[in-house]
Structure formats: structure tokens, C-alpha cells
Amino acid sequence: MASSEIIQRAAWLRERIEHHNHRYYVLDDPEISDAEYDELFRELTALEAAHPELDDPNSPTRRVGGAPAAGFAPYEHAMRMYSLDNAMVLDDWFAFAERVSKGLGRAGVAYWADPKMDGLAVEVIYEAGRFVRAATRGDGHIGEDVTHSVRTVMNLPLTLLGSDVPDLLDVRGEVVMSNADFAALNERRREAGEPPFANPRNGAAGAVRQLDPKVAASRPLRFLAYGVGRVQWGSPLFAWTSQHEIMAGLARLGFAIPPEARLCASADEVAAYFTSLMERRAGMPFEIDGVVAKVDSLEMQRALGFTSRAPRWALALKFPALQARTVLRDIRIQVGRTGVLTPVAELEPVPLAGVVVANATLHNKGYIAERDFRIGDTVLIQRAGDVIPQVLSVDLDQRPEGADPYAFPDECPVCGGEAREDGEAVRCTNPTCPAKTVQRIIHFVSKAGLDMEGVGRTWVRRLAEDGVLQSPADLFTLDKTVLLRYKRMGDRLAAKFIEAVERARTSAPLWRLIAGLGIHNVGEQTARTLAARYRDLAALALADREELQSLDAVGPVIAESIHRFFHSPEGVELLRRFREAGFWPQRAETVAGETGAAENAPLAGKVFCFTGVLSSMTRDEARRLAEEQGGITVNAISKKVDYVVAGDNAGSKIAKAEKLGLTVIDFDGFMALLGERD
């Protein structure tokens, strides 16, 4: 065992090394030479090697990276990491500021403003001042545990500075790479014969999301803090009351914050800050794509609250997109999972905002016709939000002679089926179009669907094009021997593919399955709403349009899409095959009962509608009780209902039920069905 002197020496070395890391990587003000630092580091490394009992996961020697992780574990954020609403022009900013003032009933609101860093959003968690976990933002609710990689980020404090530290602290920020470090990294990659990264964000995000932490350790990553989630202090005397106090507090605890972040006394000051930063963006040490402005007072933030996707007290002001001119070589038509024909411009490759752009969206048929894009035209392109390339306009003075107007196809370029206009879109009408099938299955396994880590898009496309996968349900009957027939698949890759499918079969949440079905107009938020209300797909399939529209954020268009899907031959067949394959996720609180148990429960498969005031419990409690015993509950009366459970003041639903000849019972009758008369 190590002596007390060795233990104290190791502790001192760790404290000194972390102190010098903070001076070098955060304050840019080193106190010692590189040689002196290396000597301290070598001594600590030798001590830890000679005395394994000194092991500490937060030792600075761990920043070089350890053994690769087995895989990304999901991490559920204790407080949701919301997205931000965007403003593209200053008029939008002033409109936002006016809404804030109106919502608070006062003028003269102060804002904290900082550069909008273009990196990977992560949350780092500290307990008793020590780093314990890090996770990506993910969908805002659940991210990926990337503790192994983020631990290697050199400017991230592994132990918070000072004596007054929170008992629990969630710090939100961006993992980024400076422009200078990025240029040096790409130069090293070229010299090593490796392809350069397209931009700093790709280099940073790609490193963090590697299972081998040595990848992140090898890249010059930085963590810049911009806010907090949970904060729990041992004493209320240390509570932060404003955003500027939070940022000053994070800096005192050892965190780097975005350069030139500042407190603005008014909306006008934010606008001036935005304009100044936009003019100087090229000289900034990091890539930025705008400014984030937050109401400074935390009390005011709480008063304003949130929408379903973003805080009402913060806004991202985006810089105008960077633009370039190039030649439109051709127009290629892509067919999506809903059959929409999307035109894509094939361009003369041109560098733009750190990447080489060779393809860009042309949106739809009307967009091409309105701007009269023709093959051979010189066009102006931009990266919308500095991310998505799009074609803006044509230079008519440069149009080549004989360039004909573009004729949008009236048939699907993949299957030859008829393509019809549907609003602004043009859709392939063939329900068995191979392109639609491929895209539906790709969507099903993607992050927008079941997020099957290990089921690659390239392989899904190939299996679907070969007819091996003709439906998402085919994934759950796929045999490893089929995969091994393909060259370059290999036993390890095939096993990983099958394991990912089996993982989804047993643990995929209901909302991901609903999102993965690819129902038109149904995204993640709607899928979560539906999964919170319905026990499983069978219950959802029984809901009529009126009932669906009673849910938050479900209007007539979305309700029609859902109803049409579950009553289509394809939808009915897909549900049947999911059941046969043993893939049948249920709402979280009913999963524990196991599908087989639910099928044998007293109310298995029976459809209930509750109305009126029940004698011994609320209607919601009765619904949960019915669903726990295998029943399906709906809000609206229809022929599909087996029992209408009527309480006092039941109202018009009873008349409708009697007209349809439905069985109407009181609360005692409902309990009798359960065999619980007491």
C-alpha cells in the first residue's frame, strides 16, 4: 500500500497539474514552461503506475484516454435541454423583445448575450465538485453517455475550483475546436495521408462520439460553458439569480465561457452587439453562426416559461448565410418515404463556409418554375444557417444559349408510377414504389425513428433494394445467415446488426415506434403525445379523428394522417407482422406487466369509454386501471367501443351509445368485470 507521503504527493501533483491546465487552456496565461509541466505529469504517471491503489477516474492522467467503451449508453437529462427559436433579421429580434416585455408587463429588460458557438452541445454533471458524467444533447430528453470522451477535453475542470461549490451541478455547453487548432489538425492529417475534416464542428463532434476516448484525446477540443441545468447548493446564500451571475460563477469554478459574452442593458444593445460580432466573425477564434440572447433575470425566465420546443426567454439571432456562385450541372430527382419527388441541384463544386458544396436543394416543382432554373445556368447558392446548401437565384446574363426550361417529371423516376401534384409537392402514387420502401425502412432505423445503433443506412438500402427487406417488420425476422451472404458484411458486423434489432425488439419505447412508422405530419413531439395517451398501437389504431383532435398539438390534418395510416391495408398488415414478430412496445407504465400477461388479463382487448363523474375514482384513474388489465380506452363513442362506463351527469354520450346499441354499465359493473366488487 502507498504510504501517506506518496498519497499526499499524488494529491499535490494532481492539484498542480489541474491548476496549470486551467492557466494554459482557460486563462491562456501559463505560469510554467512545457518542460516543467511535462516533468510534473511524468512523476504523477509513474506514481500511479507503481501504486494502482491510487487510481482516481478524475486524475489528469486520464485525459489521455483509456480503453474503448463498449457502446453508447442512453442518458436521460434531469432537465430537458431545449432547442432555441431563431431570428434571421433584426426585425425578428425586436419583435421577440417586444413579446418578452409584453409577457413581463415591463420595459427595459436586460439580456445576457454570447456568440452562438458551432460545436456539439453536451451536458457535464458534477457531484460534490467532482466530474462524474457527460452526455450529448440528443433529442433534448435523452442523449448519449460520452463521459469517456469528454473527460479528455483539456480545459474541462475535473474538480471544480474554490471551496464554495454546488453539491450538484449540471453545466451545459459546446465542445468546439478553435480555427487555429483546426487548421493545424488538418495539416497533420494531410501529412499523414488522411482526409481533412470539412469544418471544426465535424472534427469536434466526431471525436466526442467515438467509442475510443483516445480519438478525443488526440484532438484539440475545448468545452465552452453557456448555462446550467440542475444547481443544488449546500447553503441558499450561494444561489444564482441571473444569467450573468451564472456565467461569472461558472468562470470562478474553472470553466471557460464563450469569448466576448456580455450583459446588454436593452434590446438595442443586443442588436448593436449582434451587428458588431457579425462584422468581426471572420476574426473570431472559434466558428460562430450568430448570437444567443437570454433574458438575464432567472425570475423573469421562470415567469415567461417554455413552448413545447423552446424557452420563451431566449432567442438565437443567426448571421446571414454565406453565399457563392457556381454552375448548375444537372437536376436529380430523389423520392422520399412519403413519395415526394424532391429536386436536387448537381453543382460545379465550390468552397463555401468551410466545406465544398456539390449538391443543393431546389425544394419543389414550384420553386424551380418560379425562378426558372435551367441546366447550365450560373446560380447563387448559400448555406442556410451555414448548414443546408440551397440554390437562391440565377444570373440571367450568364445563361447559355439554347438552355431549355426544366420539365418536372410527371412519373416516378424509380418505379415509373404516376406522379401527381399534392399541394406544393409532387408525389409518386405507387404504394409499392421501391424508393418509398427503402426510405421508409431507413427512416424506421434512423435517429428520427427507433435509433438502431449498429444498423447502417447503407446496408439497409442494399437489403431493401435486393428485396430482403420489404417492410420494417422484415428486420425482426432477419437471419444472420442472410447477412453473411453479402461480401464485406463479416461475422462481427452481421452480429452487431442482429444485436441492434434485438435490442430494439426488447427495449424500444412506444413513442419511437410511432415516430418510426413515418406517418405523414407525425414527428417526435406528436409521437410522444400519442405514446403518453395510448397503451399500444392497437389502442391508437382504434382512435377516431375526433378523439385524436382532443389531444394537444393534434389538429385535423395530423388526425387524418394518423387515421388514414392505421386504416390502410399497409398499416393493418404492418401491425399484424409486428405482433407476430414479438415486437410490440407498450406505454411505459404498462410494459412491466409483459405482453403475454396483458393478453390474459380480465379486460384483454376490450374497448372502454368512460363518461360522467365516477363514484370512487377519477376517469383518468379508471382508464389506467382498465389499461393495466389489458383493456383499451378511448375518449369518443363509436361502434368499436365494447363498454361505456357511465357515472353521474354522463351527458350526450349515453344517448349516442344507446343509438349505436352499445353496452352501458355503471362503475360497479366496471369493477365487476375486474372481479373486484369490494
Side-chain angles (χ1 to χ4, degrees):
M1 296 293 292
S3 65
S4 59
E5 290 81 4
I6 290 176
I7 293 173
Q8 291 173 7
R9 181 63 178 175
W12 182 85
L13 286 168
R14 287 168 180 161
E15 187 278 327
R16 285 289 83 195
I17 291 171
E18 284 299 277
H19 169 79
H20 292 302
N21 281 339
H22 180 70
R23 300 290 306 183
Y24 185 90
Y25 292 106
V26 179
L27 303 181
D28 196 21
D29 185 22
E31 292 178 337
I32 61 176
S33 67
D34 290 349
E36 290 171 306
Y37 176 90
D38 291 342
E39 186 175 340
L40 294 173
F41 198 90
R42 280 194 298 271
E43 182 182 354
L44 177 59
T45 302
L47 276 179
E48 291 178 342
H51 300 279
E53 65 273 17
L54 295 176
D55 181 62
D56 184 341
N58 282 348
S59 171
T61 59
R62 291 294 191 93
R63 292 191 189 272
V64 299
F72 292 116
Y75 176 82
E76 184 172 359
H77 298 289
M79 294 176 64
R80 180 177 171 184
M81 292 183 69
Y82 281 85
S83 300
L84 291 176
D85 288 331
N86 294 327
M88 307 308 293
V89 294
L90 282 176
D91 285 348
D92 293 340
W93 159 248
F94 285 115
F96 167 83
E98 186 176 343
R99 289 196 300 273
V100 167
S101 294
K102 193 172 295 183
L104 294 171
R106 57 167 292 174
V109 177
Y111 294 89
W112 177 265
D114 49 28
K116 186 175 182 299
M117 311 305 299
D118 191 16
L120 177 70
V122 300
E123 180 176 65
V124 289
I125 297 94
Y126 292 80
E127 296 176 0
R130 288 171 59 83
F131 170 77
V132 295
R133 195 166 309 283
T136 61
R137 178 185 175 276
D139 61 8
H141 295 277
I142 296 177
E144 294 172 333
D145 189 321
V146 288
T147 306
H148 63 291
S149 292
V150 173
R151 192 190 303 278
T152 70
V153 177
M154 292 301 293
N155 76 329
L156 180 77
L158 299 180
T159 302
L160 300 181
L161 301 182
S163 56
D164 298 328
V165 302
D167 295 339
L168 176 66
L169 178 64
D170 297 344
V171 181
R172 277 111 186 245
E174 300 271 330
V175 175
V176 297
M177 194 182 298
S178 75
N179 293 327
D181 285 340
F182 173 70
L185 174 64
N186 266 353
E187 183 60 31
R188 290 195 300 272
R189 291 180 66 85
R190 291 188 189 95
E191 291 175 355
E194 299 174 331
F197 293 112
N199 51 56
R201 187 190 187 283
N202 285 359
V208 171
R209 296 197 69 258
Q210 292 283 334
L211 293 176
D212 187 349
K214 290 186 174 65
V215 177
S218 70
R219 295 184 192 171
L221 305 180
R222 300 289 183 271
F223 177 80
L224 299 180
Y226 59 66
V228 296
R230 297 174 298 174
V231 184
Q232 296 176 11
W233 296 90
S235 168
L237 297 176
F238 298 110
W240 293 320
T241 62
S242 65
Q243 188 68 29
H244 79 266
E245 286 182 5
I246 288 174
M247 300 306 289
L250 291 177
R252 284 195 300 272
L253 292 172
F255 293 94
I257 65 174
E260 300 201 37
R262 54 167 292 188
L263 180 64
C264 297
S266 66
D268 287 333
E269 277 196 27
V270 173
Y273 171 79
F274 170 80
T275 302
S276 171
L277 213 56
M278 180 172 60
E279 293 171 350
R280 296 181 289 115
R281 68 185 292 195
M284 293 288 287
F286 299 93
E287 275 203 358
I288 61 174
D289 57 3
V291 165
V292 175
K294 304 171 185 174
V295 171
D296 186 51
S297 165
L298 300 190
E299 183 180 352
M300 291 182 185
Q301 290 183 9
R302 287 189 287 270
L304 290 166
F306 298 81
T307 67
S308 63
R309 67 173 298 275
R312 291 190 175 94
W313 41 265
L315 192 70
L317 292 75
K318 303 298 286 291
F319 292 144
L322 299 178
Q323 300 178 341
R325 292 184 181 275
T326 188
V327 175
L328 176 61
R329 287 176 166 179
D330 201 357
I331 296 176
R332 182 178 73 255
I333 301 295
Q334 293 181 340
V335 182
R337 58 186 169 85
T338 62
V340 173
L341 274 59
T342 302
V344 177
E346 295 186 354
L347 306 167
E348 188 74 34
V350 59
L352 179 62
V355 300
V356 175
V357 177
N359 298 285
T361 182
L362 289 168
H363 300 291
N364 52 48
K365 177 181 179 180
Y367 190 82
I368 294 176
E370 180 184 339
R371 289 160 177 77
D372 190 22
F373 292 124
R374 305 185 185 188
I375 309 301
D377 276 342
T378 296
V379 293
L380 180 68
I381 67 169
Q382 74 172 19
R383 294 182 68 201
D386 287 355
V387 176
I388 305 170
Q390 62 181 356
V391 184
L392 294 180
S393 60
V394 59
D395 184 348
L396 294 177
D397 292 337
Q398 299 295 320
R399 171 164 288 169
E401 291 185 15
D404 296 324
Y406 180 73
F408 204 91
D410 55 8
E411 63 179 34
C412 175
V414 176
C415 70
E418 182 184 4
R420 295 180 189 166
E421 292 192 20
D422 179 12
E424 293 185 349
V426 176
R427 296 181 191 274
C428 170
T429 59
N430 177 12
T432 61
C433 174
K436 292 160 71 172
T437 300
V438 170
Q439 293 302 325
R440 275 198 295 265
I441 301 174
I442 287 175
H443 172 77
F444 185 79
V445 305
S446 72
K447 284 188 176 295
L450 269 71
D451 192 18
M452 289 189 185
E453 188 79 33
V455 178
R457 172 179 298 207
T458 302
W459 280 109
V460 168
R461 181 184 298 279
R462 186 169 178 186
L463 291 166
E465 289 175 347
D466 287 353
V468 175
L469 298 177
Q470 300 181 27
S471 156
D474 290 329
L475 286 160
F476 300 98
T477 59
L478 195 60
D479 189 85
K480 184 177 174 182
T481 57
V482 175
L483 298 177
L484 291 175
R485 295 173 191 163
Y486 287 85
K487 292 180 179 179
R488 300 183 65 186
M489 173 56 84
D491 188 77
R492 184 178 177 184
L493 190 57
K496 185 178 179 183
F497 193 109
I498 297 298
E499 285 169 10
V501 173
E502 289 306 308
R503 197 160 51 243
R505 187 201 303 271
T506 57
S507 61
L510 178 59
W511 74 265
R512 279 205 171 276
L513 171 56
I514 295 172
L517 293 174
I519 302 171
H520 191 42
N521 298 314
V522 175
E524 176 193 327
Q525 195 62 44
T526 303
R528 287 183 181 276
T529 298
L530 296 171
R533 175 65 187 87
Y534 296 100
R535 182 168 62 90
D536 55 20
L537 291 186
L540 176 55
L542 286 169
D544 60 22
R545 299 173 183 84
E546 180 184 354
E547 179 181 332
L548 290 167
Q549 288 181 57
S550 70
L551 302 175
D552 290 341
V554 177
V557 174
I558 296 176
E560 176 60 35
S561 292
I562 296 168
H563 190 269
R564 186 189 306 122
F565 174 84
F566 284 106
H567 288 76
S568 68
E570 296 81 18
V572 171
E573 175 65 11
L574 185 59
L575 265 62
R576 183 190 69 79
R577 293 201 56 205
F578 280 155
R579 271 193 184 276
E580 282 186 353
F583 176 58
W584 199 250
Q586 292 182 303
R587 194 171 57 197
E589 63 265 29
T590 63
V591 169
E594 297 295 336
T595 304
E599 290 173 352
N600 296 320
L603 308 184
K606 299 298 182 181
V607 180
F608 291 81
C609 180
F610 294 86
T611 182
V613 180
L614 304 182
S615 59
S616 301
M617 61 181 67
T618 67
R619 287 206 301 268
D620 282 344
E621 288 170 336
R623 288 190 189 101
R624 283 196 293 272
L625 184 57
E627 291 171 355
E628 286 169 0
Q629 298 303 319
I632 298 168
T633 65
V634 296
N635 289 334
I637 298 292
S638 73
K639 291 181 179 180
K640 298 171 184 175
V641 174
D642 294 298
Y643 295 98
V644 178
V645 183
D648 295 335
N649 303 316
S652 61
K653 285 186 177 180
I654 296 300
K656 186 174 181 180
E658 291 174 345
K659 185 177 180 180
L660 293 173
L662 304 179
T663 301
V664 180
I665 59 176
D666 59 12
F667 182 74
D668 288 340
F670 169 62
M671 298 305 288
L673 290 174
L674 290 170
E676 295 184 23
R677 294 178 180 272
D678 187 7

